[in-house]
Amino acid sequence: MNAAVELLYPNMQQHPEKIAYICETKTLSYQELYSASKNFALLLQERGVAHRERVLIVLPDTFAFPVAFLGCILAGVLPIVASTDLSVESFTLILRDCDACLLVTDSVLSVPIEAAGNETALLFCQKDGFFDLPVISEEEWIPYQPEVDDFAFMLYSSGSTGRPKGIPHRHKDLLLVCTLMGEAVLGLTKNDIIFSASKFSFVYGLVNSLAFPLFFGITAIIHPGKPSPTSILNIIHSYSPTVFFAVPTIYSLLIRSCTDNHLTLPLRLCVSAGESLPAAIFEEWQRLTGIELIDGIGSSEMTYIYIANRPGHAMPGSTGQAISGYRLRLVDDRDNDVPSGEMGNLLVCGETAAPCYWNLPEKSIETMLADGFIRTGDIFVERDGFYFYQGRNDDMIKSGGQWVSPVPVEDVLRLHPAVAECAVVAVSIGGLMKPGAFVILAPGTEESPNLARQLRKHVMERLPDFMCPVQFTFVTDLPRTATGKILRFKLRVP
Amino acid sequence: MATIDELKELMLGIGIDADTVNAVDPATALAIYNFDSLDWPIFIIAVEKRYAIVISDSDSLKLKTLNDFIHLLNENI
């Protein structure tokens, strides 16, 4: 089973003229998507890219992304998906780790191009979001028929040390999530129109904007720019999507952008995932729009959401109930099950789980257990079948739907002459977790009103915005172990 | 009593550029001035620190304009 074939061919048979994607004022039909994807596959073949070789895709949300992603899978090539926001160092690590033979990107994205240097071949999309695909004879061309162990695609996620780790998935994973979550929980049908503020390069956005639309024959709206409240509301009012996906940070921005007492939207369903949803955002969104916010938690390792609230029965402050097809365990530090009502480390088991991390056998054994369960790193309490998020059992921070390791942020802060030592931990602002920094100043440096601003600017010049601490607390000491290692967990919000 | 000028000073202090701060109408949503997901928490922390108050999760979502901040502050300080 080739996932791209399974996603493209039924649409070709049922409604080739139906619009698959709307991007700004342009549209792409299912027929056009299929033809462009097939030609992309043929192009890879012509360039000599072999089955199972890796191609890194770093693209904004335009037509080029699904064309390149599906084209790779049709050709039996492994598409690697990474965010456009990464640093040169991260792109370099990813290119080397997966040994990519080709970088597919946009010529305006200088950072991945710099990382590719002269070592990785480049393929650019055009300004209109298409590729300059040559007309290639397709006689006798058939899509790649995967073998049982073949991977279909791979994502990179930030590791606890800040080093990205590759998470490969099988072909079936992209299809199963459509049944388990899209159909059984969200009730998606071909009559829906989807708009996801989360981008293709995150697994949440990839399923929302690629797997769901193609699996159900839905039209999806994609937006290449930064999802600001103004642009999101303009798109919703212009194209009337029925289902909207975003992270809680985006819902909070939408709420704050509206000074009227009521916001009328044409949506039937609003879905939140990517970070914990505070009850305050759930309640204010419902009061403002009259629409229930369906929260869920998933991960790149599990492909998509495995705990979610159900439409019509959402519980504020709870992430929801286990999705059919997934088994959950809450365990103590010795992996013994904890009783209902007690905090435990969440383990999850399901058919959409990644079998391993790429090139990280020890990390794989530590996370992907022999009995099929995966350690999520999240701490939950379960009551009456509902799960309540309690935080992380490591130092990772989920900010705006993106993982932040404290290590690279601390490394950058220590480069500033005013910083002697520091620790970066999660702080809660408006119920959302953000990075906050505890800083011991260098001798001779005094706390001043401008210092926090200077430190913030220093970080923002070197790292993506979502990694920047929102709070600087100046301290004279940091909690440490007997050997001097900083104990970040003692600084975290309780 | 908190004032709009004090809040605008705080905005300058967290790095919002002067042209934007000068243009802010106290009755208009700060989102219109491109207050983003980084500006919001930083500004709320600055307000909490300056006026020695704690803003709850639900209150923070109701703070959309500078007038909203003034209203909340004058009820709590």
Side-chain angles (χ1 to χ4, degrees), chain A residues 226 229 249 252-253 255-260 280-281 284 288 429-431 434 447 453 456 460 465 468 470-471, chain B residues 12-15 27-29 31-32 35-38 40-42 44-45 49 57-58 60-65:
Chain A
K226 190 178 175 183
T249 293
S252 75
L253 289 175
I255 289 168
R256 289 190 171 109
S257 73
C258 180
T259 51
D260 292 337
I281 293 179
E284 185 59 14
L288 188 66
I429 311 293
K434 304 287 176 190
E447 183 182 344
R453 188 171 66 180
R456 193 173 298 120
M460 287 176 72
D465 287 3
C468 183
V470 298
Q471 186 176 44
Chain B
L12 290 169
I14 65 166
T28 300
I32 300 300
F35 242 54
D36 64 16
S37 57
L38 194 54
W40 275 109
I42 293 169
I44 286 171
I45 290 167
K49 194 171 177 185
D57 296 355
S58 55
S60 80
L61 290 169
K62 297 184 176 76
L63 300 172
K64 301 173 182 183
T65 69

Side-chain angles (χ1 to χ4, degrees), chain B residues 5-76:
Chain B
D5 285 344
E6 287 172 356
L7 293 177
K8 288 195 171 187
E9 265 181 46
L10 282 180
M11 291 172 73
L12 290 169
I14 65 166
I16 307 292
D17 71 83
D19 287 347
T20 302
V21 173
N22 289 333
V24 169
D25 169 9
T28 300
L30 291 167
I32 300 300
Y33 304 100
N34 294 324
F35 242 54
D36 64 16
S37 57
L38 194 54
D39 298 325
W40 275 109
I42 293 169
F43 187 57
I44 286 171
I45 290 167
V47 170
E48 286 183 327
K49 194 171 177 185
R50 166 71 176 77
Y51 296 100
I53 65 164
V54 175
I55 299 173
S56 70
D57 296 355
S58 55
D59 280 344
S60 80
L61 290 169
K62 297 184 176 76
L63 300 172
K64 301 173 182 183
T65 69
L66 288 188
N67 281 347
D68 294 336
F69 277 92
I70 292 291
H71 182 70
L72 178 92
L73 289 168
N74 289 342
E75 277 191 343
N76 290 280

Side-chain angles (χ1 to χ4, degrees), chain A residues 126-137:
Chain A
Q126 295 174 313
K127 282 183 183 172
D128 59 5
F130 287 98
F131 292 95
D132 185 14
L133 299 171
V135 178
I136 302 169
S137 168

Side-chain angles (χ1 to χ4, degrees), chain A residues 300-340:
Chain A
S300 299
E301 285 83 349
M302 295 306 294
T303 310
Y304 198 61
I305 293 169
Y306 48 82
I307 298 176
N309 272 299
R310 304 299 195 270
H313 306 282
M315 180 186 287
S318 168
T319 309
Q321 299 157 291
I323 290 173
S324 178
Y326 294 97
R327 287 186 291 146
L328 306 176
R329 287 179 66 200
L330 291 181
V331 300
D332 61 20
D333 290 341
R334 293 179 177 176
D335 283 351
N336 297 312
D337 290 282
V338 300
S340 180

